[in-house]
Amino acid sequence: YPEEVNRLAAGLPLADEPSTPPESIHCIRQWQKQGGPCLLGETEKPKARLLVWGDSHALMMADVIDQQGAANQIEVVFAAEAGIAPVPNTFPAGRGPKALPVSETVEKWLANESVEGVLFIAKWPMYLYGRNDGKVDRLLSTTENKATLPKDAIRHFNDHFGPLVRQLKSRGIKVWVMRTVAYQPRRVPETLAQIARRGKDLNLLALPVSVHRKKDKPTNDVLDSALANTDVRMLDPIPFFVDNSGTYLMAKNRNGLYSDDNHLSAYGASLLAPMIDEVFKELVK
C-alpha cells in the first residue's frame, strides 16, 4: 500500500508531529518499585504542584501534560493506572477487590503531601454504563456490592467520588474534571487507512458532534449531579475536535486523532494543549 495508508493504519503521525509519551512514565502500581510517584513538568523549581489522577485516558494525555507543565513551571504528580477509575473504595467489577490498593496508594499520598490542584481524567462511561460491546466487567463495584447494572455503578460513584472531591475542596485544593473524549463509531487507524486507500476525505465516516453529545449526555449528567455545588471546573475536550460544519473529526492535518476508538493519539492529545494550559494558569492565580 502507499506510505500514507500504512502510516494511518499504524496510527503514526507525520514526522514533525508529537508521537511518544515521556520515557519516565510509570503507573501507580509501580510507585514503590520506582521510589515514588511519576513526576512530569517542572520538577526542579515549580511554582505549584498538580496531581493528575486517572486511567488510560490520563495516560494518553501524558505528553501534553508534561509539556504544558514544563512551560508553566508546574510540577505534575502523575497518578494513572489503566482500567481503574480514580474513585476511592471502588474497583472494576471484573478485577475484584485486589484492585483496591491502586486508589489507596494515591489516597495515602494525598493525605501526607500538599498540592494546589487535582485534575481527574478517566473513561467515565465505561465505569458507569459498561463497555461499548455491552460487557459490564468495568462497572464500579464495592466490597459490599458487585455492580451488574449501571444503577449500581452510578450509586457507588455518587457515594465515593463526590465526597472525595468535597474533601479536596475543603482543604483549599482546586479541582478539575475532564469529561470523556467522544467514542468514535469504529477503530480510527484502520478506518482512516481504508478511506485513504480509496482516495476519499479522511473524515468521510466522521459523525456530527450532535450525535456524540446525545450519547455522552447520560454520563455527563451523572458527573454534574455528583459534583453539584462543588465549584469544580469541568473540562470539555469535544470542541477541540469539531470543524466548522459541526463534524466531530477522526483526522486533522492528515493525522489520525485516535489510536483506537476511544483513546486519543499523540497528535489528538496535542490538540488539547490549550485546555491543559488553562488549568496550569488557573492553578497559580
Side-chain angles (χ1 to χ4, degrees):
Y1 297 117
E3 181 181 348
E4 178 85 338
V5 174
N6 289 328
R7 179 181 68 81
L8 290 168
L12 298 174
L14 293 171
D16 59 346
E17 302 294 356
S19 60
T20 57
E23 293 182 0
S24 60
I25 196 77
H26 59 271
C27 296
I28 297 168
R29 291 180 187 271
Q30 298 172 306
W31 281 18
Q32 185 172 3
K33 181 179 179 181
Q34 295 290 339
C38 174
L39 300 179
L40 303 177
E42 172 56 53
T43 59
E44 297 298 325
K45 295 181 179 180
K47 292 181 179 179
R49 193 190 229 183
L50 175 74
L51 172 68
V52 174
W53 188 358
D55 59 8
S56 61
H57 275 213
L59 288 167
M60 73 188 184
M61 298 288 294
D63 188 51
V64 67
I65 288 171
D66 184 37
Q67 292 181 18
Q68 294 303 313
N72 287 279
Q73 294 181 274
I74 304 296
E75 180 177 70
V76 179
V77 179
F78 198 71
E81 190 74 39
I84 298 181
V87 181
N89 303 309
T90 69
F91 52 83
R95 294 199 175 185
K98 65 181 180 182
L100 284 173
V102 171
S103 59
E104 290 172 353
T105 297
V106 185
E107 284 187 283
K108 289 177 182 178
W109 185 90
L110 263 173
N112 295 291
E113 297 284 345
S114 62
V115 295
E116 282 69 38
V118 178
L119 167 59
F120 293 96
I121 303 175
K123 189 177 177 180
W124 304 114
M126 180 175 71
Y127 304 113
L128 298 174
Y129 291 99
R131 298 179 188 261
N132 268 354
D133 60 6
K135 292 181 180 178
V136 295
D137 60 325
R138 289 293 184 269
L139 288 182
L140 286 183
S141 301
T142 66
T143 52
E144 294 79 23
N145 174 256
K146 179 179 179 180
T148 57
L149 297 171
K151 66 177 183 179
D152 300 320
I154 291 170
R155 184 175 74 253
H156 299 324
F157 181 81
N158 290 331
D159 288 346
H160 297 283
F161 190 67
L164 167 65
V165 170
R166 288 175 172 81
Q167 180 188 49
L168 293 172
K169 296 292 291 183
S170 71
R171 291 172 55 186
I173 297 172
K174 297 179 180 180
V175 179
W176 293 263
V177 176
M178 179 173 143
R179 299 192 190 278
T180 308
V181 295
Y183 284 32
Q184 293 286 6
R186 49 186 59 80
R187 287 182 59 88
V188 171
E190 295 91 333
T191 300
L192 295 181
Q194 291 168 1
I195 294 173
R197 184 178 164 213
R198 291 164 175 78
K200 304 293 185 180
D201 185 306
L202 291 180
N203 287 297
L204 177 68
L205 298 178
L207 299 176
V209 66
S210 58
V211 174
H212 291 291
R213 288 291 193 194
K214 183 177 181 180
K215 184 175 182 179
D216 292 342
K217 188 177 186 304
T219 295
N220 289 335
D221 285 348
V222 171
L223 287 173
D224 293 342
S225 176
L227 301 175
N229 303 315
T230 60
D231 192 31
V232 167
R233 172 75 183 276
M234 303 300 294
L235 304 178
D236 187 2
I238 284 184
F240 295 90
F241 304 105
V242 181
D243 68 7
N244 292 333
S245 71
T247 299
Y248 187 87
L249 303 174
M250 285 188 173
K252 187 173 183 178
N253 299 329
R254 294 169 54 213
N255 286 297
L257 300 182
Y258 284 70
S259 60
D260 50 27
D261 65 348
N262 69 92
H263 293 88
L264 295 176
S265 64
Y267 181 78
S270 75
L271 298 185
L272 296 180
M275 183 182 76
I276 298 300
D277 188 61
E278 283 302 310
V279 170
F280 289 127
K281 283 181 167 50
E282 288 182 22
L283 191 65
V284 293
K285 279 185 180 179

